[in-house]
């Protein structure tokens, strides 16, 4: 059983489209993280959330603690947004991550 | 500040050998976590070190071990390598607290033949 479930697994969008990636988790958490991984492996932390909503440029992340659900939105998507987006949670019990399986996003010009 | 660095970046080993990977965290960070990424299993947590002590451990066999030095640099060791150990090994550092943002290194890509 995976502690973190992500959907969709793959997503193809036209440039300019609004994109939503969803994440559900089953454990008590101290924080939820959205990560971005480009081809070649490097991982960048986009957001860390423990409640509410955060916005950075065209990226918006929300979390509903009661429903154990988070969403990552990308407005006005661009080909450079093409990457794998990974949801990860830090459980109450420690400082490690439990990861979702990732969403592979391709934005077509 | 310099980011997280990992050495080596690429490594080829044969079954039965052992390997040691190194991670230098961001200056001032005391927590270092290690992760394995494979196409089949995705990203999985190996262990976390904080102030030279293993604070958390994932579900990996004892062939996987690690340590942290007083300068927070960390090493992980895999003994008796198996083909399935071929993976991208990532380390990440953070300050001190639970739930902090983790900063990832570029990874070490290990191929076991």
């Amino acid at each position: 059983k995976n502690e973190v479930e992500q959907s969709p697994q793959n997503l193809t969008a036209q440039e300019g489209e609004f994109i939503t990636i969803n994440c559900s988790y089953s454990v008590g958490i101290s924080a939820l993280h959205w990560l971005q991984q480009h081809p070649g492996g490097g991982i960048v932390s986009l957001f860390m959330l423990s409640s509410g909503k955060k916005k950075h440029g065209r990226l918006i992340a929300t979390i509903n603690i009661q429903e154990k659900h988070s969403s990552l939105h990308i407005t006005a998507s661009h080909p450079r947004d093409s990457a794998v987006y990974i949801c990860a949670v830090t459980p109450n019990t420690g400082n490690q991550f439990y990861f979702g399986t990732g969403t592979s996003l391709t934005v077509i010009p | 500040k310099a980011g997280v660095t990992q050495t080596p970046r690429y490594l080829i080993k044969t079954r039965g050998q052992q390997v040691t990977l190194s991670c230098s965290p961001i200056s001032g960070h005391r927590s270092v976590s290690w992760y394995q990424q494979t196409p089949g299993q995705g990203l999985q947590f190996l262990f976390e070190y904080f102030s030279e002590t293993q604070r958390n451990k994932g579900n990996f066999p004892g062939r996987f071990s690690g340590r942290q030095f007083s300068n927070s640099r960390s090493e992980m060791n895999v003994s008796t390598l198996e083909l399935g150990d071929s993976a991208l090994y990532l380390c990440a550092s953070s300050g001190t607290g639970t739930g902090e943002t983790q900063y990832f290194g570029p990874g070490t890509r290990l191929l076991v033949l």
Side-chain angles (χ1 to χ4, degrees):
Chain A
K1 178 185 174 293
N2 205 5
E3 292 86 357
V4 182
E5 300 285 347
Q6 241 182 281
S7 64
Q9 280 195 316
N10 297 284
L11 187 53
T12 301
Q14 289 291 133
E15 184 173 356
E17 283 186 8
F18 180 85
I19 288 162
T20 296
I21 301 170
N22 294 300
C23 174
S24 297
Y25 55 93
S26 58
V27 296
I29 67 169
S30 59
L32 181 142
H33 307 254
W34 283 101
L35 311 172
Q36 181 192 57
Q37 186 173 31
H38 280 284
I43 291 179
V44 174
S45 179
L46 297 174
F47 294 103
M48 184 181 72
L49 295 160
S50 54
S51 65
K53 176 180 173 178
K54 286 190 176 180
K55 184 175 189 291
H56 185 254
R58 295 179 294 105
L59 302 177
I60 303 166
T62 64
I63 188 169
N64 184 317
I65 296 292
Q66 287 72 32
E67 295 186 4
K68 295 189 174 178
H69 181 269
S70 175
S71 294
L72 175 68
H73 306 286
I74 304 175
T75 61
S77 59
H78 189 276
R80 65 174 174 266
D81 297 327
S82 298
V84 175
Y85 292 84
I86 302 166
C87 173
V89 300
T90 305
N92 289 329
T93 54
N95 199 35
Q96 71 273 27
F97 281 173
Y98 293 130
F99 297 94
T101 52
T103 295
S104 179
L105 171 65
T106 302
V107 181
I108 301 169
Chain B
K1 272 186 181 177
V4 178
T5 58
Q6 290 187 246
T7 57
R9 293 292 310 277
Y10 303 93
L11 204 49
I12 301 175
K13 292 284 188 179
T14 56
R15 278 181 298 174
Q17 287 187 310
Q18 74 163 16
V19 66
T20 299
L21 312 181
S22 180
C23 172
S24 293
I26 290 172
S27 177
H29 284 186
R30 293 165 63 189
S31 169
V32 174
S33 298
W34 288 91
Y35 302 92
Q36 181 197 64
Q37 186 176 35
T38 60
Q41 299 294 321
L43 276 157
Q44 294 182 280
F45 169 72
L46 280 157
F47 28 67
E48 183 224 358
Y49 285 86
F50 179 80
S51 293
E52 302 180 65
T53 301
Q54 188 180 86
R55 189 161 66 172
N56 291 286
K57 188 177 189 305
N59 295 324
F60 278 80
R63 299 185 298 108
F64 292 82
S65 63
R67 59 178 175 168
Q68 187 180 33
F69 302 95
S70 59
N71 62 358
S72 293
R73 189 177 70 85
S74 178
E75 289 181 345
M76 69 162 280
N77 183 275
V78 188
S79 63
T80 319
L81 284 166
E82 301 176 359
L83 296 179
D85 297 332
S86 295
L88 179 67
Y89 290 89
L90 293 153
C91 81
S93 75
S94 64
T96 57
T98 298
E100 287 188 354
T101 296
Q102 295 196 7
Y103 296 86
F104 285 81
T108 294
R109 194 167 293 278
L110 171 65
L111 177 61
V112 181
L113 300 175

